[in-house]
Amino acid sequence: MSGGYDDELTRPLEGALEATTSEGPTSPAVGRDEWVARHGGNRVQRGGRLGTLEERLRIVPWWAWLATFTALFALLPVVSDSGYVRRVAFDIAIYLLLALGLNVVVGWGGLLDLGYIAFYGVGAYSYALLSSDHFGIHLPTIVSIPLIVVIGACVGFLVGLPSRRLTGDYLAIVSLFFLQLFLTVTTNGDDLFGRNVTGGANGLLNVDPLSLFGHELPVSKDGIFNVAYLYVVLVAFVVVYVALRFVNLSRTGRAWRSLREDALAAEVMGMPVNWLKLMSFAFGAAIAALTGTFVAALNASVFPLSFSFPLLITIYTMVILGGAGSQAGVVIGAVLIGVLLELLRDPGDSRVLFYTIIVLGLVAAFRLSKRLAVVLAGTAVFGLVVHSIAGAVDNDWVNGAGGAGGGVSDFMANWVIVPTDTASWVAPVSYISLVSLALILTLLRGWARLALLVPVLYLAAFVWENVMLSKPEPTRYIILGVLLIGLMIVRPSGLLGEKRVEIV
Amino acid sequence: MFPEPFRDRLATRVDEFIQLTLNGLTLGSVYALIALGYSLVYGILKLLNFAHGDVFMVGTFIGFGTLQLLGGSADPVVPVWLLLVLITLAAMAGCAVLGVAIERFAYRPLRDAPRIAPLISALGVSFFIAYSMQLMFGAALKNYDTFSLDGGALYFNGFDVGNVRVPLIRIITIVSAFVMMILLWLLVTRTRIGKAMRATSHDREAAAMMGIDIDRVIVFAFVLGSALAGAAGVLFALRVPTYATIGFLIGLKGFTAAVIGGIGSIPGALAGGLVLGFAEAYTQGYVSTRWSDLFVFVILILFLLFRPQGLLGKADIRKV
Amino acid sequence: MLLELQGVSMAFASLKVVDDLDLHVDEGEIVSVIGPNGAGKTTLFNLVTGVYTPTGGDILFAGSSIRGLDPHQITRRGIARTFQTLRLFLNMSVRENVMAAAYGHTKAGVFRSMLRTPGMRQEEREIRELAEKRLAFFGERLMGYRWDQPAYSLSYANRRRLEIARATATNPRLLLLDEPAAGMNPKETQEITDLIGLLRTEGGYTILVIEHDMHVVEGISDRVIALDHGVKIAEGSFEEVATSPQVIEAYLGTGGMAKK
């Protein structure tokens, strides 16, 4: 009996996870050591209630999750008559597909594809060119959709080809420039050697709706968005999800995992790394192109401006938040960000959202502890005091808030400073102060950090109410930018991404 | 694109060529300054600093703000030359601070993370900066209105090459850019900190073991690169109105220039900037304004296919 | 000759790491490569596996040139290797590490995988069996529940064994082992020595080994090649090489010890 067993089993794994057996004693199937055999099936799990919950959830098979999610989604239009809700559901479904596609490239292939949205645009424009009055071609949907998927894959392949032997940085550059190129061609394509190819900045109109089994699906019925389009996208989502899952579980998925772990070792073990990366890139492009067709059909039009860099960053945030590499993760990420963006459109919702997230964030950071109470109470008191002082100095400084009545609203009106008119210097000064102080906050420790946190929170509320609420567009992108930076620093694996252990 | 008062003087093809070359030189100088920032940072950190274009954009805004503070272009409180110097210095200083902050808070925590992490963080920073500026200052164009300065002196003064007028404003742009690049070159090759930067870009661990303070070197690279971007911002915005999201496009061009010239190489940044400037100017003049971007893309692809290390970069040797 | 290097040179800029090297390995042989650090041994492996392209000379495998081929192409022709510094897929399970290496000789493509055709599922079963068989070669060490453990949970010695198992899953004819006994205690070293012999007799592999531990070299080698500064300085049986004055000088220098 050699001494090889002892070291591995007594070496604890890092972090606060405790190892427990999830099976009872088993008869030794292999090996002569009973204790070794008894620890068969050792799996690390979280202690406590969260751990048991996680274990129970783990038993639920993946397809059950998928089915439940899809069913809930599909029931939305049944539950709510609102055309708005249906439209938002459709938008989020589109995000789901886009996130799944980007996950293949970034999460599985490990590539930074900064031109991803261009493939989405290629799909949309291809559909518009092949199924509209523009060139007079009206391909039936059953032909155009598979064709466009192939086109997407081919274009993706061609774009990735120049950089296949170069580092990932080069692919990022090439794909970024491809996006720019796509935007240039579509915006200026109304004068391509004298012919109007892409409709220019005004885009293409009168794009055909989808037709299934010979029936044309009208885009709207009596002015309300046709729910059938949502179902088409959901079906596509399920098909893509399942197909990708199967690919990930196959030798290709194994090869992708290997090349993420150690690309050189993978290559030397017989896996053609460059080809595999290219394939993931093309896959992502194909899925993006597919998604483009649905959007073009529903909107009955395509415009260059829809395929912009901000959309790219939005999808990236969804993927990173959910966890690159995990399909379930990016689905959740897409839903969360999609809902977040929608809520940010309405000032009332944004306000509630802001304070909810602040409180949740504080709870997550401090748990239910004395420090949490101190911070919350301190911020409340600080605010009330400052507000009173400011109000005493000049009433106009604090009377700007609408105040819809009710206890919470009254409290807020007395807490946060909302001047009736803000001078133009207020926005930049307060915003830059907030950012600077927040950054300084990350450098402090202990009581100094708590002490600074209170005025920073108050200042944040001020900035939100006065500066950001009225400008939803830059606000949403600022939030996405901060999310990306924060995620990379604090939790790069996102919500459900694989936690990579790097024990040397 | 051809300055208004002089269009009718472009009588011959030679004139057209000279004018386009001048355009290319002006554009190229600005691109070169931006490309330098990318190269400096990439050389040391192997990081494509996507936020660099937005630092440039902040430079244009700081210049604009300082200009307004000093009375605006119609009625400045100081002489024109001093005005220009002050706004440039303000932009350089402000951008240097911004660059240091970006490095300290968004990149340094990720120094040992996999390559893709700081890149994604950079995307986030780029977005954050661009839309923060839009939040604070609005989405409208900001025009320096240089033509109003001293009754258009910067445009009417200058010298002639053949029938083509070289206005003072362009001379200032080109000369300032070149002077800064020469100063940078001297700094990198003749000073100790420059030597430290070069050592760090070759082998970070070895440099650290030789007693070089890596953090200081990296911060210095960001200071230099960002200051240059700030200066480029002012030089650019003196002639073209700016807006909050301009950083993406201009940054992309500066970045392409760095790659074409050889990313990581300082003379390469200059070469790449000029190549890009000329390519853009000639395409705009001889082919069409709308398709110059396409042309640049083709050049980039050709370089990546046949000479990925760029004009003056070194081929990458990887030891296993 | 299964593997043949003809006048192979490798230079990085102006630094010559391997200089005009002639070397061969016959089918069924176990050949050891020894030499002080920096002698170019791992570079030799990198050249043979296509990680580097030689700046001069040619490399022939089973009669045809493999110079300039991509590493995965060379692996498919039948050359596999382990790494001096382990390069396992640490976050993947033990079994998956070995299954991954079967990529080169399997063919289920993405479309068949998406549809989970019977052919693809059959191939997956076969890959799984192959992996388990290769792991079984190492006895109980890498068996049973260990198959599902992440590779990072293995002890150092087991990681070395896993790396060899993974290499064998590519179905190679020639196996390049880069310091397989590094960092092992005497008992484990003896096991590795026996194992390498078994790899030849039971596995049928031709083996080229880089080793520093002379006990291992003595125990396994049909032939030993000594390198120093990228040049072959001795070749022959273990006794011949161990007593060769050039080898002694390379390891010990020309001082007093060497003169003994």
Side-chain angles (χ1 to χ4, degrees):
Chain A
M1 245 292 277
S2 102
Y5 294 119
D6 303 336
D7 34 335
E8 11 182 330
L9 292 170
T10 53
R11 178 183 306 175
L13 288 165
E14 58 175 34
L17 306 170
E18 4 157 27
T20 57
T21 46
S22 51
E23 298 169 355
T26 51
S27 60
V30 220
R32 298 167 221 151
D33 189 308
E34 202 218 296
W35 181 67
V36 166
R38 193 161 23 99
H39 280 77
N42 238 354
R43 183 169 50 230
V44 171
Q45 67 180 59
R46 258 187 265 265
R49 279 174 298 188
L50 206 56
T52 13
L53 178 66
E54 207 177 321
E55 284 305 300
R56 294 234 182 84
L57 290 179
R58 209 185 274 269
I59 300 176
V60 179
W62 65 275
W63 47 263
W65 284 116
L66 181 64
T68 316
F69 175 81
T70 316
L72 286 174
F73 219 97
L75 284 174
L76 271 175
V78 172
V79 163
S80 161
D81 253 345
S82 152
Y84 169 72
V85 167
R86 293 173 180 198
R87 187 62 211 240
V88 169
F90 178 83
D91 286 344
I92 295 189
I94 293 291
Y95 284 144
L96 290 178
L97 270 176
L98 285 175
L100 282 183
L102 188 62
N103 182 48
V104 179
V105 187
V106 175
W108 292 347
L111 302 168
L112 196 61
D113 178 1
L114 295 179
Y116 183 67
I117 293 300
F119 303 116
Y120 174 53
V122 164
Y125 265 85
S126 301
Y127 182 78
L129 290 172
L130 294 173
S131 299
S132 70
D133 293 330
H134 189 72
F135 285 143
I137 311 174
H138 293 274
L139 282 183
T141 308
I142 200 102
V143 173
S144 59
I145 287 195
L147 179 62
I148 288 171
V149 169
V150 171
I151 292 176
C154 290
V155 174
F157 187 81
L158 289 172
V159 172
L161 208 52
S163 22
R164 74 192 177 288
R165 286 181 193 274
L166 307 169
T167 62
D169 296 347
Y170 285 97
L171 182 67
I173 297 172
V174 171
S175 57
L176 185 59
F177 225 116
F178 178 68
L179 173 58
Q180 197 50 36
L181 174 76
F182 174 78
L183 291 174
T184 308
V185 169
T186 50
T187 313
N188 295 313
D190 50 352
D191 188 17
L192 203 52
F193 310 113
R195 300 170 103 241
N196 183 357
V197 179
T198 65
N202 295 324
L204 296 169
L205 305 171
N206 293 324
V207 176
D208 294 343
L210 294 178
S211 58
L212 285 179
F213 315 116
H215 296 293
E216 216 180 58
L217 293 174
V219 169
S220 60
K221 287 182 183 155
D222 309 315
I224 295 188
F225 160 83
N226 183 359
V227 136
Y229 276 83
L230 173 64
Y231 292 138
V232 167
V233 176
L234 276 183
V235 166
F237 164 70
V238 171
V239 169
V240 167
Y241 189 101
V242 172
L244 286 179
R245 187 192 155 86
F246 286 157
V247 170
N248 199 30
L249 290 175
S250 72
R251 76 193 253 273
T252 310
R254 248 195 316 275
W256 279 335
R257 265 192 295 289
S258 308
L259 79 85
R260 289 201 303 276
E261 287 287 326
D262 189 329
L264 178 72
E267 174 85 23
V268 173
M269 290 302 127
M271 295 174 255
V273 167
N274 289 330
W275 164 251
L276 286 163
K277 286 187 174 179
L278 207 48
M279 192 162 47
S280 75
F281 195 80
F283 248 98
I287 295 172
L290 171 69
T291 317
T293 63
F294 300 134
V295 175
L298 180 72
N299 290 331
S301 60
V302 284
F303 306 104
L305 280 179
S306 328
F307 311 104
S308 59
F309 194 64
L311 179 59
L312 180 83
I313 299 289
T314 309
I315 309 293
Y316 260 91
T317 314
M318 292 173 178
V319 169
I320 301 289
L321 174 65
S326 157
Q327 285 205 286
V330 306
V331 164
I332 294 177
V335 171
L336 285 176
I337 300 280
V339 169
L340 174 77
L341 291 179
E342 206 47 51
L343 287 175
L344 283 176
R345 282 191 214 275
D346 171 55
D349 289 339
S350 305
R351 192 176 272 131
V352 172
L353 187 70
F354 174 77
Y355 291 113
T356 317
I357 296 209
I358 293 283
V359 172
L360 284 179
L362 288 174
V363 171
F366 294 118
R367 306 294 146 93
L368 295 167
S369 67
K370 262 196 304 195
R371 284 189 299 167
L372 176 67
V374 164
V375 171
L376 284 177
T379 317
V381 167
F382 183 85
L384 290 170
V385 167
V386 174
H387 188 271
S388 329
I389 296 178
V393 173
D394 185 345
N395 226 4
D396 275 341
W397 281 8
V398 297
N399 270 339
V408 175
S409 187
D410 279 343
F411 172 78
M412 294 311 286
N414 283 326
W415 183 72
V416 68
I417 295 180
V418 181
T420 33
D421 293 303
T422 43
S424 63
W425 57 265
V426 170
V429 168
S430 60
Y431 184 80
I432 295 184
S433 315
L434 176 63
V435 173
S436 317
L437 287 177
L439 288 177
I440 292 174
L441 203 59
T442 63
L443 295 175
L444 296 174
R445 296 273 174 269
W447 64 264
R449 185 184 257 196
L450 286 181
L452 186 58
L453 184 59
V454 169
V456 166
L457 285 176
Y458 189 65
L459 182 58
F462 176 81
V463 168
W464 183 263
E465 296 272 351
N466 293 298
V467 179
M468 295 176 93
L469 268 190
S470 51
K471 294 189 176 182
E473 198 203 320
T475 301
R476 72 200 330 223
Y477 295 135
I478 291 174
I479 292 178
L480 290 180
V482 170
L483 253 181
L484 271 182
I485 302 172
L487 279 170
M488 278 297 123
I489 294 177
V490 172
R491 199 186 162 107
S493 58
L495 290 169
L496 295 181
E498 29 174 53
K499 278 209 184 27
R500 317 275 313 252
V501 179
E502 308 272 347
I503 300 181
V504 178
Chain B
M1 195 207 45
F2 295 124
E4 297 233 22
F6 310 114
R7 202 178 282 147
D8 47 358
R9 293 173 65 175
L10 294 173
T12 65
R13 282 214 164 277
V14 177
D15 289 336
E16 197 178 22
F17 178 75
I18 297 174
Q19 179 66 61
L20 290 175
T21 309
L22 181 61
N23 290 351
L25 201 52
T26 329
L27 273 175
S29 315
V30 172
Y31 288 152
L33 282 179
I34 304 173
L36 278 171
Y38 282 114
S39 274
L40 280 171
V41 168
Y42 190 86
I44 296 185
L45 279 182
K46 298 289 175 287
L47 166 71
L48 292 173
N49 182 11
F50 287 121
H52 192 60
D54 299 279
V55 172
F56 161 87
M57 176 276 296
V58 171
T60 66
F61 273 68
I62 295 179
F64 182 76
T66 321
L67 179 62
Q68 305 309 99
L69 269 177
L70 292 173
S73 56
D75 195 13
V77 299
V78 290
V80 173
W81 64 270
L82 182 59
L83 182 72
L84 292 179
V85 168
L86 285 177
I87 64 177
T88 309
L89 287 180
M92 289 174 80
C95 288
V97 169
L98 179 64
V100 169
I102 294 174
E103 190 275 324
R104 177 65 187 77
F105 292 106
Y107 299 154
R108 196 182 294 188
L110 298 172
R111 214 178 276 167
D112 295 320
R115 288 283 286 277
I116 209 174
L119 283 174
I120 293 183
S121 182
L123 287 178
V125 173
S126 165
F127 229 47
F128 176 74
I129 294 178
Y131 286 96
S132 294
M133 295 304 271
Q134 191 176 75
L135 181 78
M136 292 188 280
F137 303 112
L141 292 174
K142 306 272 182 268
N143 195 340
Y144 279 37
D145 204 11
T146 321
F147 206 70
S148 305
L149 268 178
D150 206 12
L154 289 175
Y155 284 90
F156 292 120
N157 297 333
F159 62 88
D160 284 343
V161 176
N163 273 334
V164 175
R165 166 116 257 179
V166 181
L168 191 54
I169 182 88
R170 286 187 189 264
I171 299 174
I172 292 175
T173 308
I174 298 171
V175 168
S176 318
F178 272 85
V179 164
M180 279 189 262
M181 284 188 264
I182 292 173
L183 286 176
L184 180 77
W185 175 244
L186 288 174
L187 197 101
V188 168
T189 47
R190 298 283 162 88
T191 64
R192 281 182 59 195
I193 185 91
K195 198 182 287 186
M197 281 174 67
R198 280 179 289 139
T200 315
S201 71
H202 276 295
D203 188 334
R204 196 193 301 176
E205 267 182 48
M209 285 192 267
M210 290 298 119
I212 293 176
D213 184 347
I214 302 298
D215 283 344
R216 218 160 70 94
V217 167
I218 291 176
V219 167
F220 193 68
F222 270 87
V223 165
L224 281 183
S226 309
L228 288 176
V234 169
L235 292 176
F236 176 85
L238 280 173
R239 302 185 319 108
V240 180
T242 179
Y243 53 95
T245 44
I246 204 178
F248 171 63
L249 187 58
I250 302 292
L252 187 62
K253 298 212 176 140
F255 178 74
T256 310
V259 171
I260 289 179
I263 195 146
S265 152
I266 289 175
L270 171 60
L274 288 176
V275 165
L276 194 67
F278 286 130
E280 205 175 296
Y282 292 136
T283 336
Q284 284 179 345
Y286 291 129
V287 180
S288 137
T289 357
R290 301 168 107 193
W291 298 108
S292 57
D293 281 349
L294 170 62
F295 199 71
V296 167
F297 180 57
V298 169
I299 296 181
L300 176 72
I301 291 294
L302 289 175
F303 264 96
L304 287 179
L305 281 175
F306 297 113
R307 204 182 156 86
Q309 69 266 40
L311 289 167
L312 300 177
K314 289 181 273 277
D316 207 357
I317 297 172
R318 283 165 187 276
K319 187 146 177 24
V320 174
Chain C
M1 286 189 278
L2 186 58
L3 177 74
E4 189 184 351
L5 272 73
Q6 296 170 340
V8 167
S9 300
M10 183 68 208
F12 293 108
S14 47
L15 178 68
K16 249 198 174 164
V17 181
V18 173
D19 196 359
D20 202 26
L21 184 64
D22 289 312
L23 187 153
H24 73 95
V25 182
D26 295 322
E27 184 121 36
E29 269 195 303
I30 299 182
V31 176
S32 295
V33 176
I34 66 171
N37 282 321
K41 309 189 295 292
T42 300
T43 310
L44 168 67
F45 273 21
N46 286 338
L47 285 165
V48 172
T49 52
V51 176
Y52 299 152
T53 306
T55 47
D58 200 3
I59 305 178
L60 302 173
F61 182 71
S64 39
S65 170
I66 56 172
R67 177 168 200 248
L69 289 181
D70 285 332
H72 72 267
Q73 293 169 308
I74 293 181
T75 307
R76 287 182 201 202
R77 293 212 182 182
I79 302 181
R81 77 174 283 184
T82 63
F83 292 90
Q84 178 181 14
T85 56
L86 290 168
R87 294 185 86 124
L88 290 174
F89 306 132
L90 289 174
N91 287 285
M92 288 161 63
S93 73
V94 166
R95 188 202 278 115
E96 254 203 317
N97 264 267
V98 183
M99 285 171 78
Y103 189 93
H105 57 85
T106 49
K107 59 185 185 16
V110 273
F111 294 110
R112 277 189 285 167
S113 302
M114 273 196 265
L115 300 169
R116 288 185 84 83
T117 62
M120 174 256 175
R121 279 182 282 157
Q122 171 65 15
E123 196 182 65
E124 275 293 297
R125 275 192 291 272
E126 286 168 10
I127 296 174
R128 212 175 150 94
E129 276 164 24
L130 173 74
E132 291 173 1
K133 202 169 73 155
R134 296 279 184 258
L135 287 164
F137 193 83
F138 296 86
E140 314 99 34
R141 306 225 176 295
L142 296 172
M143 290 288 285
Y145 75 94
R146 287 249 163 82
W147 285 336
D148 294 303
Q149 300 293 302
Y152 62 70
S153 68
L154 290 181
S155 69
Y156 176 79
N158 274 340
R159 288 191 195 188
R160 283 229 165 255
R161 294 177 190 123
L162 175 59
E163 186 143 309
I164 298 177
R166 183 180 65 170
T168 60
T170 62
N171 286 346
R173 288 170 70 180
L174 172 66
L175 201 51
L176 304 176
L177 302 176
D178 198 339
E179 299 197 35
M184 293 200 177
N185 65 39
K187 188 141 185 121
E188 291 159 344
T189 305
Q190 182 56 46
E191 269 188 54
I192 277 286
T193 310
D194 296 336
L195 188 90
I196 295 177
L198 278 179
L199 281 172
R200 186 218 337 237
T201 51
E202 285 181 24
Y205 306 115
T206 307
I207 306 175
L208 183 61
V209 182
I210 294 176
E211 233 337 302
H212 278 299
D213 187 331
M214 291 305 152
H215 298 295
V216 177
V217 176
E218 192 178 11
I220 60 170
S221 315
D222 300 329
R223 194 159 43 97
V224 177
I225 299 174
L227 297 182
D228 188 24
H229 288 100
V231 171
K232 183 166 35 173
I233 56 173
E235 182 173 359
S237 73
F238 178 76
E239 289 74 27
E240 289 167 16
V241 171
T243 52
S244 136
Q246 290 92 335
V247 171
I248 295 175
E249 182 182 320
Y251 273 101
L252 299 177
T254 48
M257 278 296 293
K259 292 210 165 86
K260 282 182 87 157

